[in-house]
Amino acid sequence: MEDNLAAEKDAGTARRGRGERGGAAARRAARSGGGPGQQMTYIRRKVPLYEVLNEEGLALIEANADTVLEEIGIEFRDDAEALKLWKGAGADVQGERVHFPKGLCRELIKTAPSVFTQHARNPERSVQIGGDATVFAPVYGPPFVRDLDGNRRYATIEDFRNFVKLAYMAPSIHHSGGTVCEPVDVPVNKRHLDMVFAHMRYSDKPFMGSVTAPERAEDTVAMAKILFGDKFVEENTVIINLINANSPMVFDETMLGAAKVYARNNQATIITPFILAGAMSPVTVAGTLTQVLAEVLAGAAFTQLVRPGAPVLFGTFASSISMQSGAPTFGTPEPTLVSYGAGQLARRLGLPFRTGGSLTAAKISDAQAAYESANTLNSTMLAGTNFVLHAAGWLEGGLVSGYEKFMMDIDQLGMQQKFAEGVDLSENGQAMDAIREVGPGSHYLGCTHTQANFQTAFYRSSIADNNSFEQWSAEGEKTTEQRANELARRWLESYEAPPLDPGIEEGLRDFIARRKESMPDAFT
């Protein structure tokens, strides 16, 4: 990471010899370009994973989770069908609490795929979920936005569409995501239709479905069938969906209802305990991992009761809280350890893994946001995460989707993608021809190998300013947030929607109109 000062001096001399002003102008032109770079495919990790638990530790947590499942149990609330399924599978059902014989959940999970493809309407954008793949998806769920004019306000459907467009244009975002923000200007019972349509119309990347009610999940599946065709949806996974456990140790009727809809239709679910350690799980890493594993085992096994073979992910969202205020904290050591341990447990179960993102409690895109997000994102990659929700745009503990933060985050995602490629040991990567050509005491700037590789040798940030103080000053002394703001505006101005068959678009719009006409507006 550290630069050799002598080499830097030589490089500076060489730049000035070629004409500093011309180089600066070229860099300014590149930064001012309206559009993003070439779309990246999902990541195929070539770097080792980081593991914090040895065999003894993993076995201990697994045994403790089995004890939780058998002795304490998990509640499946207000869903008689779920309780009937569990009773039929051999579980001990006492009221709404289900006690699981040792090994039952693990046996059921064996039918779930360890790797599957989520298909996009553009086949080139389809992604692998599981194995050595990592997929970045945007922020999910905030009711507020921090807009390009610096205002913190409730999100609108226009904001929602804007974030879908930015995610579509972002080279390092592989997935359109789901509730990129909550558009409060649309009725609660109808907004899912506009949200799902936005993903389908304004992007051709994979997307997530609605989970806020079973009927909204049904609408999502119906719209997917219009987009992809009935037969394709029946035989392939085209939607992935977030099913949160109501931690500690509860699944409610809303999440269960949505999970049943998607599992029955062979669509993927992410079973995710939503943990603020100290409030919704024990304060210790081992205790939190025990509860996370128990909740995931119960939820993932349930999807296999509904339909054996339905895709399901081992999810975890683990944060800590301030023991002084009770507020969630991010980028701290303990949730990092939970992510690493949960990744190990997921791989032992043979399930794809979801965690992490670019998380922060910061209110704006400041140093706190950068540090906390970087800490979270780095551990997300090294944990071997397959599906990364909240990869870009998250602010204020998940209450806010930030435009500037989104642009700053996708720049970091591109860096992570480059890092995940690992070390190039090809003939070109070894660079022996360059070493021979340059020899002692010279520099590599003008050698043949450098000239052949200079455009792709190093990741080029679209946000960072690495120029001299004089250049930075001459260009307006802009902060990172200002550059991110300008970039977001240029992208939105230059956005062009991916083509969609007019007949399919008409079918989707007709379905939405009929569904909206079938019910009165509701805002609660």
Side-chain angles (χ1 to χ4, degrees), residues 428 433-434 437-438 443-454:
N428 182 69
D433 54 338
E437 178 183 340
V438 172
H443 62 72
Y444 288 83
L445 289 170
C447 82
T448 304
H449 184 271
T450 299
Q451 294 298 311
N453 287 276
F454 81 96

Side-chain angles (χ1 to χ4, degrees), residues 159-394:
D159 293 309
F160 190 97
R161 292 167 183 152
N162 282 343
F163 279 112
V164 170
K165 293 173 183 178
L166 290 174
Y168 165 67
M169 298 179 76
S172 56
I173 292 282
H174 317 109
H175 200 282
S176 194
T179 308
V180 289
C181 61
E182 189 74 35
V184 300
D185 57 336
V186 182
V188 171
N189 60 330
K190 298 180 180 180
R191 66 180 59 153
H192 67 286
L193 298 164
D194 294 319
M195 294 157 69
V196 173
F197 178 75
H199 285 297
M200 293 178 168
R201 182 64 195 93
Y202 301 114
S203 175
D204 61 2
K205 296 181 180 181
F207 61 91
M208 303 177 74
S210 177
V211 296
T212 52
E215 59 270 21
R216 296 168 196 168
E218 295 280 10
D219 285 342
T220 303
V221 173
M223 292 174 70
K225 289 181 176 179
I226 295 171
L227 183 64
F228 291 96
D230 289 16
K231 189 173 188 295
F232 192 87
V233 173
E234 289 166 5
E235 297 176 353
N236 298 278
T237 299
V238 300
I239 318 167
I240 195 167
N241 311 279
L242 181 62
I243 305 297
N244 283 125
N246 191 357
S247 303
M249 295 172 286
V250 171
F251 286 93
D252 62 40
E253 71 277 14
T254 299
M255 292 290 99
L256 291 171
K260 287 188 291 186
V261 170
Y262 288 120
R264 284 193 178 116
N265 285 279
N266 198 36
Q267 302 307 304
T269 52
I270 310 170
I271 305 299
T272 301
F274 187 87
I275 299 292
L276 300 179
M280 298 147 80
S281 75
V283 295
T284 63
V285 171
T288 295
L289 282 171
T290 295
Q291 183 182 307
V292 164
L293 179 57
E295 292 176 1
V296 171
L297 280 167
F302 177 69
T303 67
Q304 302 307 294
L305 283 180
V306 174
R307 176 169 174 166
V312 61
L313 281 72
F314 183 126
T316 182
F317 179 94
S319 176
S320 53
I321 63 169
S322 166
M323 300 309 288
Q324 288 71 45
S325 68
T329 57
F330 300 92
T332 53
E334 297 81 11
T336 295
L337 292 169
V338 170
S339 292
Y340 287 139
Q344 291 180 259
L345 294 166
R347 288 189 288 276
R348 283 164 73 91
L349 278 177
L351 293 180
F353 179 52
R354 171 258 159 157
T355 195
S358 300
L359 309 182
T360 181
K363 313 307 178 283
I364 59 174
S365 301
D366 58 7
Q368 178 185 345
Y371 280 122
E372 291 178 351
S373 294
N375 285 345
T376 309
L377 187 59
N378 287 335
S379 62
T380 297
M381 284 297 299
L382 293 176
T385 307
N386 300 118
F387 188 80
V388 184
L389 201 53
H390 313 306
W394 169 292

Side-chain angles (χ1 to χ4, degrees), residues 15-39:
R15 282 197 302 268
R16 287 189 292 275
R18 292 195 308 271
E20 184 79 53
R21 293 182 62 188
R27 286 190 294 275
R28 281 195 298 271
R31 286 198 301 274
S32 65
Q38 183 177 359
Q39 177 66 41

